[in-house]
Amino acid sequence: MIHRTGKRAKHDAQPYTVHVAALATSTADTAMDDAPHAAPAPAIDDEPKKVDKKADIDIGKLMEERAKYIPLRLQMDERKYLRLLEAALNVTEYTDKIDDASHTSKAKRTVAQIKELCAILTGLVLACDYKRGQELFADRSYEENEEFFQTIFEIGRRHKIMNPEKMRTAYGKLMYLLSDAMIPEVQEMLGFNCVVPIKTVHSFLKERKGLAVLHDEDLILMATREIIPDGKSRQQIQMDIRRKEKAIESLSRKHQTRILPADDIRHCLYSIGDNNAYLRANRDPCEKILKYLERYFDPEQPETGFDLGIHAGAQGHRLSHDHATQYIYVKQTLQLWREILNDMFKLWTLADQDLLSSANMYRLTHTGQGLNRVQPCPHVSREMHRTLFRAQKKAGKWIGSSVIHLGDKNVPNALMFIDKYNQVARILNPICITLDQLDQLAANDGLKAYIDRRFQGIDQCRKTILADFFRGAFDGSGADNFYDAGSCIDGRLTSAWNWCSQIENKLYFPVFLFTNFVGFDGAGWA
């Protein structure tokens, strides 16, 4: 039930439905996610349907809200500066020199390190573009090159959000450097501000009075959808590509103005398409695993040999659940991960704000995992609690703790939070690939004979992998106390990583290798 504001005596109640939730202002992003199942919306894996004008969901409004957190794809000239930034970050030892508790006078050391990095960048620009480098060097101080440094740092932050698998080492240095640069005394000594807001599709279009592009419901869905080749012939794929390109061209010509050329509109549409590709690669594995759970396991009655029940103290488990309880626990955890990944770009933007706020200082603390920057995460925390509330509403019944670790020794800061949930796809994708390719393995007589002899068939092999994953990756393991792991929101992911670390000891590990499995982080096997 939802209560309206006002005096309690005048409260009117109405049934809580997904439809009402979709229209709520505070859950606009979730509506974008739920809409493909109830009404036309920018789905990534469904055929676009004609927009129902009678539908209560305002697609344009939802697209505009979503575009606020979608970074612009880099232009060609920006990619040149990105390479310079990565090269400079790869050679600097910024965090090693700064994050040392034994040192004093941190502000002076920070300024010296930031100026050293800026000097490296300036030198690289001179080597790459002599004319541009001359301009930077021509009797100008760091303060006078403020715009250049702001631009190059913003390019790095924007590129990382669009490509989570890139800059895995350099990004941490960049964010810690910029975080230090926002300290008031450091900023005063430095003489310029290194940080500007990340360029998004929404800010770009709003600046050029082009937000109407996002409200063109007849074309925006087709122009930004991702072409999924699975199960389609080459002719169908080419037809879909032509239809999408035609929608992009029509939308660009229709809304182009003197200050918003057609090429800029195309650039924005491709950026939204990049976000759809991200969702397909990162959010959809959660949906696939959920479908496998519902297909192969009964919520109430366990199949002989595939009982999901776990007992604390047995086989490393730290929780005790019967089959039905564990089924619900696994399902609600996967649904929560799906909600988080669906809103990841928004959470990342909020994390950027928390990390780079001049009013939100960190402290160096020994967390049990070395010296870390412990910093409050107010923006991320609020949004995560909203996301958790939505997941709990959908689940109906919540099992386990609702504690969200942020700004403590378990998840010291927003950077660690983002890195933690970027691992979900790295865990689930290899499992999905292995399960999906089992039928192809059966086409090989030798491999089919092996699977039949070891697991008594393809379906039995799938259920063996899934049952062990659902038991071992959701058992509260991975730490030495319930506060660090257990059933809390972050501990669920800790348990999954603990299961991943033991994959080579599993009976079914050769099956993973048959499907070209190289590890959960893509690093391969020694």
Side-chain angles (χ1 to χ4, degrees):
M1 308 290 281
I2 295 180
H3 290 287
R4 297 173 181 168
T5 57
K7 294 183 178 179
R8 184 177 297 276
K10 297 181 179 180
H11 278 183
D12 293 327
Q14 59 185 10
Y16 185 92
T17 64
V18 175
H19 182 64
V20 173
L23 296 177
T25 305
S26 62
T27 58
D29 292 336
T30 304
M32 280 298 296
D33 177 35
D34 293 340
H37 304 288
I44 63 171
D45 54 359
D46 294 333
E47 290 292 332
K49 300 172 185 175
K50 200 168 183 178
V51 177
D52 182 3
K53 297 299 182 182
K54 297 181 180 179
D56 293 327
I57 297 176
D58 188 341
I59 300 300
K61 181 179 179 180
L62 296 177
M63 286 293 293
E64 183 176 341
E65 178 66 22
R66 180 183 169 197
K68 291 178 181 178
Y69 307 103
I70 299 179
L72 272 179
R73 179 190 284 190
L74 297 189
Q75 300 278 14
M76 190 59 65
D77 58 334
E78 292 177 324
R79 293 186 182 278
K80 178 175 64 176
Y81 290 125
L82 173 67
R83 290 192 293 272
L84 297 179
L85 177 63
E86 286 190 87
L89 290 171
N90 286 335
V91 299
T92 185
E93 297 178 349
Y94 179 82
T95 49
D96 295 335
K97 294 180 179 179
I98 297 300
D99 290 348
D100 190 335
S102 64
H103 287 301
T104 57
S105 183
K106 179 176 178 177
K108 290 183 179 179
R109 288 185 296 107
T110 300
V111 171
Q113 288 298 311
I114 292 176
K115 285 189 174 181
E116 179 185 340
L117 178 68
C118 290
I120 294 172
L121 288 171
T122 308
L124 290 173
V125 172
L126 179 64
C128 180
D129 188 337
Y130 184 73
K131 183 177 180 181
R132 175 63 173 156
Q134 276 188 320
E135 293 175 0
L136 293 179
F137 274 116
D139 299 326
R140 302 179 71 182
S141 63
Y142 289 105
E143 297 88 342
E144 293 172 323
N145 288 322
E146 178 181 26
E147 184 179 352
F148 168 74
F149 294 124
Q150 287 176 343
T151 300
I152 199 168
F153 290 139
E154 186 273 335
I155 288 171
R157 290 153 57 209
R158 176 153 44 105
H159 174 72
K160 176 62 178 180
I161 297 177
M162 296 293 285
N163 303 273
E165 72 283 357
K166 305 291 186 181
M167 298 176 66
R168 293 179 67 175
T169 302
Y171 181 69
K173 293 181 186 179
L174 173 63
M175 294 308 294
Y176 282 171
L177 180 150
L178 294 178
S179 177
D180 287 338
M182 294 303 294
I183 298 174
E185 58 180 336
V186 173
Q187 194 167 343
E188 183 179 353
M189 295 175 66
L190 196 59
F192 67 95
N193 185 1
C194 295
V195 177
V196 291
I198 292 174
K199 293 181 182 178
T200 64
V201 172
H202 184 274
S203 64
F204 184 85
L205 291 175
K206 184 178 181 180
E207 183 181 348
R208 291 158 179 77
K209 298 179 174 57
L211 289 177
V213 173
L214 303 174
H215 291 264
D216 196 326
E217 298 180 2
D218 293 331
L219 294 173
I220 189 67
L221 302 182
M222 174 62 71
T224 58
R225 68 186 290 259
E226 186 183 9
I227 307 299
I228 309 298
D230 299 344
K232 295 180 181 178
S233 65
R234 171 55 60 182
Q235 184 178 5
Q236 290 175 310
I237 295 172
Q238 291 296 336
M239 188 179 300
D240 288 344
I241 293 173
R242 286 195 296 271
R243 191 181 297 124
K244 177 180 177 178
E245 290 298 327
K246 183 178 180 181
I248 291 173
E249 290 302 317
S250 299
L251 200 57
S252 302
R253 288 197 301 270
K254 181 178 179 181
H255 294 279
Q256 66 178 338
T257 63
R258 184 178 58 81
I259 59 175
L260 183 62
D263 285 344
D264 287 348
I265 296 177
R266 292 190 198 96
H267 191 67
C268 291
L269 295 176
Y270 287 136
S271 299
I272 297 175
D274 290 343
N275 176 246
N276 282 337
Y278 169 86
L279 291 177
R280 178 174 178 245
N282 291 267
R283 182 196 65 187
D284 284 14
C286 295
E287 296 180 343
K288 286 186 178 181
I289 297 295
L290 278 168
K291 289 178 181 178
Y292 277 123
L293 174 66
E294 295 168 353
R295 175 181 174 185
Y296 286 108
F297 298 91
D298 187 274
E300 300 293 338
Q301 298 299 323
E303 182 181 344
T304 303
F306 300 102
D307 190 333
L308 299 183
I310 56 177
H311 303 282
Q315 300 178 350
H317 304 316
R318 300 189 62 247
L319 300 175
S320 294
H321 291 158
D322 59 22
H323 174 86
T325 303
Q326 182 69 1
Y327 182 95
I328 297 173
Y329 180 73
V330 171
K331 184 175 182 178
Q332 68 185 21
T333 302
L334 290 169
Q335 289 173 336
L336 174 62
W337 290 351
R338 181 190 181 281
E339 292 288 331
I340 292 172
L341 291 171
N342 186 67
D343 287 340
M344 181 53 79
F345 276 24
K346 181 176 183 179
L347 288 166
W348 207 321
T349 302
L350 297 176
D352 190 86
Q353 294 174 14
D354 283 338
L355 283 165
L356 305 181
S357 171
S358 59
N360 188 27
M361 297 295 98
Y362 67 86
R363 67 185 189 278
L364 280 177
T365 306
H366 286 282
T367 62
Q369 302 178 45
L371 200 62
N372 283 283
R373 300 186 179 199
V374 178
Q375 182 182 30
C377 314
H379 294 94
V380 174
S381 180
R382 280 194 293 271
E383 187 59 31
M384 270 298 294
H385 280 89
R386 293 192 192 103
T387 302
L388 176 60
F389 175 75
R390 291 199 300 266
Q392 290 174 330
K393 274 286 186 182
K394 290 182 179 181
K397 178 182 179 182
W398 191 258
I399 295 172
S401 171
S402 298
V403 174
I404 300 174
H405 291 289
L406 280 169
D408 58 16
K409 69 186 187 69
N410 294 290
V411 184
N413 52 55
L415 178 64
M416 298 296 183
F417 166 82
I418 291 297
D419 183 67
K420 193 177 184 75
Y421 283 97
N422 272 334
Q423 312 304 319
V424 173
R426 291 181 185 149
I427 294 172
L428 299 184
N429 264 321
I431 300 173
C432 290
I433 290 171
T434 297
L435 296 174
D436 292 344
Q437 291 186 4
L438 281 177
D439 290 326
Q440 298 178 25
L441 293 181
N444 183 295
D445 293 337
L447 294 179
K448 186 177 186 303
Y450 169 81
I451 293 173
D452 289 343
R453 184 175 66 256
R454 183 63 65 92
F455 303 100
Q456 288 75 53
I458 295 296
D459 276 352
Q460 295 296 98
C461 181
R462 273 202 191 95
K463 285 192 281 189
T464 299
I465 296 172
L466 287 167
D468 186 71
F469 176 66
F470 293 148
R471 287 192 297 256
F474 301 87
D475 64 349
S477 61
D480 56 2
N481 61 75
F482 280 103
Y483 186 74
D484 293 345
S487 62
C488 66
I489 302 306
D490 305 281
R492 300 169 191 237
L493 193 50
T494 303
S495 302
W497 261 123
N498 187 58
W499 176 86
C500 292
S501 68
Q502 303 169 3
I503 184 70
E504 66 270 18
N505 300 321
K506 304 295 184 181
L507 176 69
Y508 48 78
F509 181 59
V511 178
F512 273 72
L513 296 180
F514 292 154
T515 58
N516 298 317
F517 174 72
V518 293
F520 289 102
D521 61 355
W525 296 93

